[in-house]
Amino acid sequence: MKSQKISEAVVRRLPIYLRFLNELAMKNVATVSSQDLGQKLDLNPAQIRKDLAYFGEFGKKGIGYDIAYLIEKIRQILKLDRHIQVALVGAGNLGRALCNYNTYLRNDMKIVAVFDAMPSKAGETINNLTVQPMGEMKAVLSELGVRIGIITVPASEAQNVANQFVACGIEAILNFAPVIIKVPPEVRVHYADFTTELQSLAYYLD
Amino acid sequence: MKSQKISEAVVRRLPIYLRFLNELAMKNVATVSSQDLGQKLDLNPAQIRKDLAYFGEFGKKGIGYDIAYLIEKIRQILKLDRHIQVALVGAGNLGRALCNYNTYLRNDMKIVAVFDAMPSKAGETINNLTVQPMGEMKAVLSELGVRIGIITVPASEAQNVANQFVACGIEAILNFAPVIIKVPPEVRVHYADFTTELQSLAYYLD
DNA sequence: TAGATTGTTAATCGATTAACAATC
DNA sequence: TAGATTGTTAATCGATTAACAATC
């Protein structure tokens, strides 16, 4: 069924499944049912089965899902079975913090280049990465084969950085700046703005 | 229409409207139509009108929305018209970065206390805040009237911190740790895990 | 007035959940 | 075999979009 379009909601749940399956694998659990999964992840078991069924028949009736096998499959689906190079622009506090997550990302994804528009920042070292000036971006990204870009600059600079990413052939962007950026339709943008998140939380206070 | 339940999707868009309206206000623009708003924010104008109409009649037919007035109204809806105190647990790289966003949050929300389980961290200063040991949490939160908690500890510690937040009467939690946490239904939890976000982005690579 | 734009109803679209035959 | 659990269809639920009368 590779042809049907998978909804964004489904794709966003896959990493959550993967994360929990990895936890189970570390505890040497062999199989898991959609029931168990649903309980732990606060999701409807039918939804989990349906999500997975978009991509294949990964379970066994009466048994559940083999954890090692399902991990392998989800990694393939998410394209995490290969190395994906990531670049980050904006070596401020947040950018620096994210660079230090490299170990977290395991082998699948890795921040391999950091840029900053402030000349004074160039040359600084963050977790074995040297901050480079923006002028180097095009050359560095194509040499390293970077496909995903992270934006951690102030809102006023985000569109500018996005434009440069697009010009460098970046395929997907994770934008931490609190502003909507415009990119060609073939470039995927996700947002990760914690101020927006906090503000919507306030609504639920009594 | 205060009685009808407002969907989460609507609440999540309000801060996005607010943000852009603030930008316009700074440029001294006086009014804006749902058309304009939709264009800038990549949203359907009908959706914007409907979202706002849940809360009242804020626009003028033939004219659009008065920006100053709409800002005031959205701030009231989101409860950002009062000061909201926020506490953060986990003074690692990410926690430190977030503390430095205090200026960004303006007056409406403010991180007023930082805690860390590592005794060696206690006493450190981050952006005028002194890191305190976990044992102080209950006393400090009730003294400062903290209502929202931010979790920036490793996944393995997140549930534990959440439990302590709940015991302190925290009403809402923003969890940056890559794990689902369990809290009583009256406590609201939002997730802000950038590794999940990155992994779902990978799916969209060719 | 004529043009623009809201608020709102109805139509559409899509996502979640329930139910169950198939089968391990 | 009996019990458990999948994959999948059908039913439900909810969110988005289109359309338009009201009106500034």
Short mmCIF file of all heavy atoms in Angstrom, two decimals, chain B residues 11-65:
data_model
loop_
_atom_site.label_atom_id
_atom_site.label_comp_id
_atom_site.label_asym_id
_atom_site.label_seq_id
_atom_site.Cartn_x
_atom_site.Cartn_y
_atom_site.Cartn_z
N VAL B 11 -6.85 26.04 20.54
CA VAL B 11 -6.02 26.67 21.58
C VAL B 11 -4.57 26.81 21.12
O VAL B 11 -3.91 27.80 21.39
CB VAL B 11 -6.10 25.88 22.90
CG1 VAL B 11 -5.14 26.46 23.93
CG2 VAL B 11 -7.52 25.88 23.42
N ARG B 12 -4.11 25.83 20.37
CA ARG B 12 -2.72 25.88 19.91
C ARG B 12 -2.50 26.95 18.85
O ARG B 12 -1.37 27.37 18.63
CB ARG B 12 -2.32 24.53 19.32
CG ARG B 12 -2.05 23.51 20.40
CD ARG B 12 -1.68 22.17 19.81
NE ARG B 12 -1.34 21.26 20.87
CZ ARG B 12 -0.17 21.26 21.48
NH1 ARG B 12 0.77 22.11 21.12
NH2 ARG B 12 0.06 20.43 22.46
N ARG B 13 -3.56 27.32 18.16
CA ARG B 13 -3.37 28.36 17.15
C ARG B 13 -3.40 29.77 17.75
O ARG B 13 -2.82 30.69 17.19
CB ARG B 13 -4.44 28.22 16.05
CG ARG B 13 -4.13 27.11 15.05
CD ARG B 13 -5.05 27.17 13.84
NE ARG B 13 -6.42 26.86 14.20
CZ ARG B 13 -6.97 25.65 14.14
NH1 ARG B 13 -6.24 24.62 13.76
NH2 ARG B 13 -8.23 25.46 14.47
N LEU B 14 -4.04 29.92 18.88
CA LEU B 14 -4.16 31.27 19.45
C LEU B 14 -2.80 31.94 19.70
O LEU B 14 -2.63 33.12 19.35
CB LEU B 14 -4.97 31.22 20.76
CG LEU B 14 -6.45 30.83 20.60
CD1 LEU B 14 -7.13 30.79 21.97
CD2 LEU B 14 -7.20 31.80 19.68
N PRO B 15 -1.82 31.23 20.27
CA PRO B 15 -0.53 31.89 20.47
C PRO B 15 0.13 32.30 19.15
O PRO B 15 0.88 33.27 19.10
CB PRO B 15 0.33 30.83 21.17
CG PRO B 15 -0.65 29.89 21.77
CD PRO B 15 -1.84 29.89 20.87
N ILE B 16 -0.19 31.55 18.10
CA ILE B 16 0.39 31.88 16.80
C ILE B 16 -0.23 33.16 16.26
O ILE B 16 0.46 34.01 15.71
CB ILE B 16 0.18 30.69 15.83
CG1 ILE B 16 0.96 29.48 16.36
CG2 ILE B 16 0.61 31.05 14.42
CD1 ILE B 16 0.71 28.21 15.59
N TYR B 17 -1.53 33.29 16.45
CA TYR B 17 -2.19 34.55 16.07
C TYR B 17 -1.58 35.70 16.86
O TYR B 17 -1.24 36.75 16.32
CB TYR B 17 -3.70 34.49 16.36
CG TYR B 17 -4.45 33.39 15.65
CD1 TYR B 17 -5.64 32.90 16.16
CD2 TYR B 17 -3.98 32.86 14.46
CE1 TYR B 17 -6.34 31.89 15.52
CE2 TYR B 17 -4.67 31.85 13.81
CZ TYR B 17 -5.85 31.36 14.35
OH TYR B 17 -6.54 30.37 13.72
N LEU B 18 -1.48 35.47 18.16
CA LEU B 18 -1.00 36.52 19.07
C LEU B 18 0.37 37.02 18.65
O LEU B 18 0.63 38.22 18.60
CB LEU B 18 -0.97 35.95 20.49
CG LEU B 18 -0.55 36.91 21.60
CD1 LEU B 18 -1.48 38.11 21.66
CD2 LEU B 18 -0.55 36.18 22.95
N ARG B 19 1.22 36.08 18.38
CA ARG B 19 2.59 36.39 17.99
C ARG B 19 2.62 37.30 16.77
O ARG B 19 3.31 38.31 16.75
CB ARG B 19 3.24 35.06 17.62
CG ARG B 19 4.67 34.94 17.88
CD ARG B 19 5.03 33.48 17.84
NE ARG B 19 4.88 32.92 16.50
CZ ARG B 19 5.06 31.64 16.23
NH1 ARG B 19 5.38 30.77 17.20
NH2 ARG B 19 4.92 31.19 15.00
N PHE B 20 1.85 36.93 15.76
CA PHE B 20 1.86 37.70 14.52
C PHE B 20 1.19 39.06 14.71
O PHE B 20 1.63 40.07 14.17
CB PHE B 20 1.20 36.92 13.39
CG PHE B 20 1.29 37.62 12.08
CD1 PHE B 20 2.53 37.86 11.50
CD2 PHE B 20 0.15 38.06 11.44
CE1 PHE B 20 2.63 38.53 10.29
CE2 PHE B 20 0.24 38.73 10.23
CZ PHE B 20 1.48 38.96 9.64
N LEU B 21 0.13 39.10 15.51
CA LEU B 21 -0.55 40.36 15.79
C LEU B 21 0.41 41.32 16.50
O LEU B 21 0.43 42.52 16.21
CB LEU B 21 -1.79 40.12 16.67
CG LEU B 21 -2.93 39.38 15.97
CD1 LEU B 21 -3.98 38.92 16.98
CD2 LEU B 21 -3.58 40.26 14.90
N ASN B 22 1.21 40.78 17.40
CA ASN B 22 2.20 41.61 18.08
C ASN B 22 3.20 42.20 17.08
O ASN B 22 3.57 43.37 17.18
CB ASN B 22 2.94 40.81 19.15
CG ASN B 22 2.15 40.74 20.45
OD1 ASN B 22 1.51 41.70 20.85
ND2 ASN B 22 2.21 39.59 21.11
N GLU B 23 3.60 41.38 16.12
CA GLU B 23 4.49 41.90 15.07
C GLU B 23 3.85 43.06 14.33
O GLU B 23 4.47 44.09 14.09
CB GLU B 23 4.80 40.79 14.06
CG GLU B 23 5.99 39.92 14.41
CD GLU B 23 6.29 38.95 13.27
OE1 GLU B 23 6.43 39.38 12.10
OE2 GLU B 23 6.35 37.73 13.53
N LEU B 24 2.58 42.87 13.96
CA LEU B 24 1.88 43.92 13.23
C LEU B 24 1.75 45.18 14.08
O LEU B 24 1.92 46.30 13.59
CB LEU B 24 0.48 43.44 12.82
CG LEU B 24 0.44 42.35 11.75
CD1 LEU B 24 -0.99 41.90 11.50
CD2 LEU B 24 1.07 42.85 10.45
N ALA B 25 1.43 44.99 15.35
CA ALA B 25 1.27 46.14 16.24
C ALA B 25 2.56 46.95 16.32
O ALA B 25 2.53 48.18 16.33
CB ALA B 25 0.85 45.67 17.63
N MET B 26 3.67 46.24 16.33
CA MET B 26 4.95 46.95 16.40
C MET B 26 5.21 47.75 15.13
O MET B 26 5.97 48.71 15.14
CB MET B 26 6.08 45.96 16.64
CG MET B 26 6.12 45.49 18.10
SD MET B 26 7.72 44.81 18.55
CE MET B 26 7.84 43.40 17.45
N LYS B 27 4.60 47.31 14.05
CA LYS B 27 4.73 48.07 12.80
C LYS B 27 3.62 49.11 12.67
O LYS B 27 3.40 49.67 11.60
CB LYS B 27 4.64 47.11 11.60
CG LYS B 27 5.85 46.21 11.43
CD LYS B 27 5.61 45.27 10.24
CE LYS B 27 6.66 44.17 10.19
NZ LYS B 27 6.17 43.00 9.42
N ASN B 28 2.88 49.30 13.75
CA ASN B 28 1.79 50.28 13.78
C ASN B 28 0.67 50.02 12.77
O ASN B 28 0.01 50.95 12.31
CB ASN B 28 2.34 51.70 13.58
CG ASN B 28 3.17 52.13 14.76
OD1 ASN B 28 2.73 51.99 15.91
ND2 ASN B 28 4.36 52.62 14.51
N VAL B 29 0.48 48.78 12.41
CA VAL B 29 -0.67 48.43 11.59
C VAL B 29 -1.89 48.45 12.51
O VAL B 29 -1.82 47.99 13.65
CB VAL B 29 -0.50 47.03 10.97
CG1 VAL B 29 -1.69 46.69 10.08
CG2 VAL B 29 0.80 46.96 10.20
N ALA B 30 -3.02 48.97 12.03
CA ALA B 30 -4.18 49.15 12.91
C ALA B 30 -5.18 48.00 12.84
O ALA B 30 -5.73 47.56 13.84
CB ALA B 30 -4.89 50.46 12.59
N THR B 31 -5.44 47.49 11.64
CA THR B 31 -6.41 46.41 11.50
C THR B 31 -5.86 45.33 10.55
O THR B 31 -4.94 45.59 9.78
CB THR B 31 -7.75 46.90 10.92
OG1 THR B 31 -7.53 47.38 9.60
CG2 THR B 31 -8.37 47.99 11.78
N VAL B 32 -6.49 44.15 10.64
CA VAL B 32 -6.06 43.06 9.78
C VAL B 32 -7.27 42.18 9.49
O VAL B 32 -8.17 42.06 10.33
CB VAL B 32 -4.93 42.25 10.48
CG1 VAL B 32 -5.46 41.51 11.69
CG2 VAL B 32 -4.26 41.29 9.52
N SER B 33 -7.33 41.62 8.30
CA SER B 33 -8.45 40.73 7.94
C SER B 33 -8.03 39.28 8.11
O SER B 33 -6.84 38.96 8.15
CB SER B 33 -8.87 40.98 6.50
OG SER B 33 -7.85 40.56 5.62
N SER B 34 -9.00 38.40 8.20
CA SER B 34 -8.70 36.97 8.31
C SER B 34 -7.96 36.51 7.06
O SER B 34 -7.14 35.59 7.11
CB SER B 34 -9.98 36.17 8.51
OG SER B 34 -10.87 36.36 7.43
N GLN B 35 -8.25 37.17 5.96
CA GLN B 35 -7.57 36.92 4.70
C GLN B 35 -6.06 37.11 4.84
O GLN B 35 -5.26 36.22 4.53
CB GLN B 35 -8.12 37.92 3.66
CG GLN B 35 -7.67 37.70 2.24
CD GLN B 35 -8.33 36.48 1.59
OE1 GLN B 35 -7.67 35.71 0.91
NE2 GLN B 35 -9.63 36.30 1.79
N ASP B 36 -5.68 38.32 5.30
CA ASP B 36 -4.26 38.65 5.49
C ASP B 36 -3.60 37.67 6.44
O ASP B 36 -2.52 37.13 6.18
CB ASP B 36 -4.10 40.04 6.13
CG ASP B 36 -4.66 41.14 5.25
OD1 ASP B 36 -4.88 40.89 4.05
OD2 ASP B 36 -4.89 42.24 5.79
N LEU B 37 -4.26 37.48 7.57
CA LEU B 37 -3.73 36.62 8.61
C LEU B 37 -3.47 35.22 8.04
O LEU B 37 -2.41 34.62 8.25
CB LEU B 37 -4.78 36.54 9.72
CG LEU B 37 -4.43 36.87 11.17
CD1 LEU B 37 -3.29 37.83 11.32
CD2 LEU B 37 -5.67 37.37 11.90
N GLY B 38 -4.46 34.71 7.30
CA GLY B 38 -4.35 33.38 6.74
C GLY B 38 -3.17 33.25 5.81
O GLY B 38 -2.45 32.25 5.82
N GLN B 39 -2.98 34.30 5.02
CA GLN B 39 -1.89 34.29 4.07
C GLN B 39 -0.53 34.20 4.77
O GLN B 39 0.32 33.38 4.42
CB GLN B 39 -1.94 35.59 3.26
CG GLN B 39 -1.13 35.55 2.00
CD GLN B 39 -1.94 36.15 0.85
OE1 GLN B 39 -2.32 37.32 0.90
NE2 GLN B 39 -2.20 35.35 -0.17
N LYS B 40 -0.39 35.02 5.79
CA LYS B 40 0.90 35.08 6.50
C LYS B 40 1.16 33.84 7.33
O LYS B 40 2.30 33.45 7.55
CB LYS B 40 0.91 36.30 7.43
CG LYS B 40 0.86 37.62 6.70
CD LYS B 40 2.08 37.83 5.83
CE LYS B 40 2.05 39.23 5.22
NZ LYS B 40 3.29 39.48 4.45
N LEU B 41 0.10 33.24 7.83
CA LEU B 41 0.28 32.12 8.75
C LEU B 41 0.01 30.77 8.10
O LEU B 41 0.00 29.74 8.77
CB LEU B 41 -0.63 32.30 9.97
CG LEU B 41 -0.42 33.59 10.78
CD1 LEU B 41 -1.45 33.71 11.88
CD2 LEU B 41 0.99 33.64 11.35
N ASP B 42 -0.22 30.77 6.80
CA ASP B 42 -0.53 29.53 6.09
C ASP B 42 -1.74 28.82 6.68
O ASP B 42 -1.71 27.60 6.91
CB ASP B 42 0.66 28.56 6.11
CG ASP B 42 1.79 29.03 5.20
OD1 ASP B 42 1.50 29.80 4.26
OD2 ASP B 42 2.94 28.63 5.40
N LEU B 43 -2.79 29.57 6.93
CA LEU B 43 -4.01 28.97 7.46
C LEU B 43 -5.20 29.45 6.64
O LEU B 43 -5.16 30.49 6.00
CB LEU B 43 -4.22 29.39 8.92
CG LEU B 43 -3.20 28.88 9.94
CD1 LEU B 43 -3.39 29.56 11.28
CD2 LEU B 43 -3.31 27.36 10.08
N ASN B 44 -6.27 28.68 6.68
CA ASN B 44 -7.50 29.04 5.99
C ASN B 44 -8.20 30.18 6.75
O ASN B 44 -8.41 30.08 7.95
CB ASN B 44 -8.38 27.80 5.94
CG ASN B 44 -9.64 28.05 5.16
OD1 ASN B 44 -10.43 28.92 5.52
ND2 ASN B 44 -9.84 27.32 4.10
N PRO B 45 -8.57 31.25 6.02
CA PRO B 45 -9.20 32.41 6.68
C PRO B 45 -10.47 32.03 7.42
O PRO B 45 -10.74 32.57 8.50
CB PRO B 45 -9.54 33.34 5.51
CG PRO B 45 -8.67 32.92 4.39
CD PRO B 45 -8.36 31.47 4.58
N ALA B 46 -11.23 31.11 6.88
CA ALA B 46 -12.46 30.69 7.56
C ALA B 46 -12.14 30.06 8.91
O ALA B 46 -12.87 30.25 9.89
CB ALA B 46 -13.23 29.70 6.68
N GLN B 47 -11.05 29.35 8.93
CA GLN B 47 -10.65 28.72 10.18
C GLN B 47 -10.29 29.76 11.23
O GLN B 47 -10.66 29.64 12.40
CB GLN B 47 -9.44 27.82 9.93
CG GLN B 47 -8.99 27.09 11.16
CD GLN B 47 -7.96 26.04 10.82
OE1 GLN B 47 -6.85 26.34 10.39
NE2 GLN B 47 -8.33 24.80 10.99
N ILE B 48 -9.59 30.77 10.82
CA ILE B 48 -9.21 31.84 11.74
C ILE B 48 -10.45 32.54 12.29
O ILE B 48 -10.59 32.74 13.49
CB ILE B 48 -8.28 32.85 11.03
CG1 ILE B 48 -6.98 32.15 10.66
CG2 ILE B 48 -8.02 34.05 11.92
CD1 ILE B 48 -6.03 32.97 9.83
N ARG B 49 -11.39 32.87 11.41
CA ARG B 49 -12.62 33.54 11.87
C ARG B 49 -13.37 32.64 12.85
O ARG B 49 -13.89 33.10 13.87
CB ARG B 49 -13.53 33.87 10.68
CG ARG B 49 -12.96 34.91 9.76
CD ARG B 49 -14.03 35.54 8.88
NE ARG B 49 -14.71 34.59 7.99
CZ ARG B 49 -14.22 34.21 6.82
NH1 ARG B 49 -13.04 34.64 6.40
NH2 ARG B 49 -14.89 33.37 6.06
N LYS B 50 -13.42 31.35 12.51
CA LYS B 50 -14.15 30.42 13.37
C LYS B 50 -13.47 30.29 14.72
O LYS B 50 -14.12 30.31 15.77
CB LYS B 50 -14.23 29.06 12.70
CG LYS B 50 -15.29 28.15 13.24
CD LYS B 50 -15.65 27.11 12.20
CE LYS B 50 -16.97 26.45 12.47
NZ LYS B 50 -16.94 25.48 13.54
N ASP B 51 -12.17 30.17 14.71
CA ASP B 51 -11.41 30.07 15.96
C ASP B 51 -11.75 31.25 16.87
O ASP B 51 -12.05 31.08 18.05
CB ASP B 51 -9.90 30.09 15.69
CG ASP B 51 -9.37 28.78 15.15
OD1 ASP B 51 -10.15 27.80 15.10
OD2 ASP B 51 -8.19 28.72 14.77
N LEU B 52 -11.66 32.44 16.32
CA LEU B 52 -11.88 33.63 17.14
C LEU B 52 -13.33 33.73 17.59
O LEU B 52 -13.62 34.15 18.71
CB LEU B 52 -11.48 34.89 16.35
CG LEU B 52 -9.99 34.94 15.98
CD1 LEU B 52 -9.69 36.13 15.08
CD2 LEU B 52 -9.13 34.99 17.24
N ALA B 53 -14.25 33.30 16.72
CA ALA B 53 -15.68 33.42 17.02
C ALA B 53 -16.11 32.53 18.20
O ALA B 53 -17.14 32.77 18.80
CB ALA B 53 -16.51 33.09 15.79
N TYR B 54 -15.29 31.52 18.51
CA TYR B 54 -15.61 30.72 19.69
C TYR B 54 -15.62 31.57 20.94
O TYR B 54 -16.29 31.26 21.92
CB TYR B 54 -14.55 29.62 19.91
CG TYR B 54 -14.68 28.42 19.01
CD1 TYR B 54 -13.68 28.11 18.10
CD2 TYR B 54 -15.80 27.60 19.08
CE1 TYR B 54 -13.79 27.00 17.28
CE2 TYR B 54 -15.91 26.49 18.26
CZ TYR B 54 -14.91 26.20 17.36
OH TYR B 54 -15.01 25.11 16.55
N PHE B 55 -14.87 32.64 20.93
CA PHE B 55 -14.65 33.41 22.15
C PHE B 55 -15.38 34.75 22.17
O PHE B 55 -15.45 35.41 23.20
CB PHE B 55 -13.15 33.64 22.35
CG PHE B 55 -12.37 32.36 22.42
CD1 PHE B 55 -11.71 31.87 21.29
CD2 PHE B 55 -12.32 31.62 23.59
CE1 PHE B 55 -10.99 30.68 21.35
CE2 PHE B 55 -11.61 30.42 23.65
CZ PHE B 55 -10.95 29.95 22.53
N GLY B 56 -15.92 35.14 21.01
CA GLY B 56 -16.64 36.41 20.98
C GLY B 56 -16.64 37.00 19.58
O GLY B 56 -16.10 36.40 18.64
N GLU B 57 -17.26 38.15 19.42
CA GLU B 57 -17.28 38.83 18.12
C GLU B 57 -16.25 39.94 18.18
O GLU B 57 -16.52 41.04 18.65
CB GLU B 57 -18.67 39.39 17.83
CG GLU B 57 -19.76 38.33 17.85
CD GLU B 57 -21.03 38.79 17.15
OE1 GLU B 57 -21.07 39.94 16.64
OE2 GLU B 57 -21.97 37.99 17.08
N PHE B 58 -15.06 39.65 17.68
CA PHE B 58 -13.96 40.59 17.83
C PHE B 58 -13.75 41.44 16.59
O PHE B 58 -13.00 42.40 16.63
CB PHE B 58 -12.67 39.83 18.16
CG PHE B 58 -12.77 38.97 19.40
CD1 PHE B 58 -12.15 37.73 19.46
CD2 PHE B 58 -13.49 39.40 20.52
CE1 PHE B 58 -12.22 36.94 20.60
CE2 PHE B 58 -13.57 38.63 21.66
CZ PHE B 58 -12.94 37.39 21.70
N GLY B 59 -14.37 41.07 15.48
CA GLY B 59 -14.11 41.76 14.22
C GLY B 59 -15.24 42.71 13.84
O GLY B 59 -16.28 42.76 14.48
N LYS B 60 -15.00 43.46 12.77
CA LYS B 60 -16.03 44.34 12.21
C LYS B 60 -16.23 43.95 10.76
O LYS B 60 -15.27 43.92 9.98
CB LYS B 60 -15.59 45.81 12.30
CG LYS B 60 -15.83 46.45 13.63
CD LYS B 60 -15.98 47.97 13.48
CE LYS B 60 -16.22 48.61 14.83
NZ LYS B 60 -15.26 48.15 15.85
N LYS B 61 -17.48 43.67 10.42
CA LYS B 61 -17.75 43.28 9.03
C LYS B 61 -17.30 44.37 8.08
O LYS B 61 -17.51 45.55 8.32
CB LYS B 61 -19.25 43.02 8.86
CG LYS B 61 -19.77 41.80 9.62
CD LYS B 61 -21.25 41.61 9.32
CE LYS B 61 -21.79 40.33 9.95
NZ LYS B 61 -21.80 40.37 11.43
N GLY B 62 -16.68 43.99 6.99
CA GLY B 62 -16.22 44.96 6.01
C GLY B 62 -14.88 45.58 6.34
O GLY B 62 -14.23 46.19 5.49
N ILE B 63 -14.42 45.42 7.57
CA ILE B 63 -13.18 46.06 8.03
C ILE B 63 -12.11 45.04 8.39
O ILE B 63 -11.00 45.08 7.88
CB ILE B 63 -13.44 46.92 9.31
CG1 ILE B 63 -14.62 47.87 9.11
CG2 ILE B 63 -12.17 47.63 9.73
CD1 ILE B 63 -14.31 49.08 8.29
N GLY B 64 -12.46 44.13 9.27
CA GLY B 64 -11.48 43.17 9.79
C GLY B 64 -11.37 43.28 11.30
O GLY B 64 -12.34 43.65 11.96
N TYR B 65 -10.20 42.98 11.82
CA TYR B 65 -10.00 42.99 13.27
C TYR B 65 -9.10 44.15 13.68
O TYR B 65 -8.06 44.39 13.05
CB TYR B 65 -9.37 41.67 13.72
CG TYR B 65 -10.23 40.46 13.43
CD1 TYR B 65 -10.12 39.77 12.23
CD2 TYR B 65 -11.18 40.04 14.35
CE1 TYR B 65 -10.92 38.68 11.95
CE2 TYR B 65 -11.99 38.94 14.08
CZ TYR B 65 -11.86 38.26 12.87
OH TYR B 65 -12.65 37.19 12.59
#
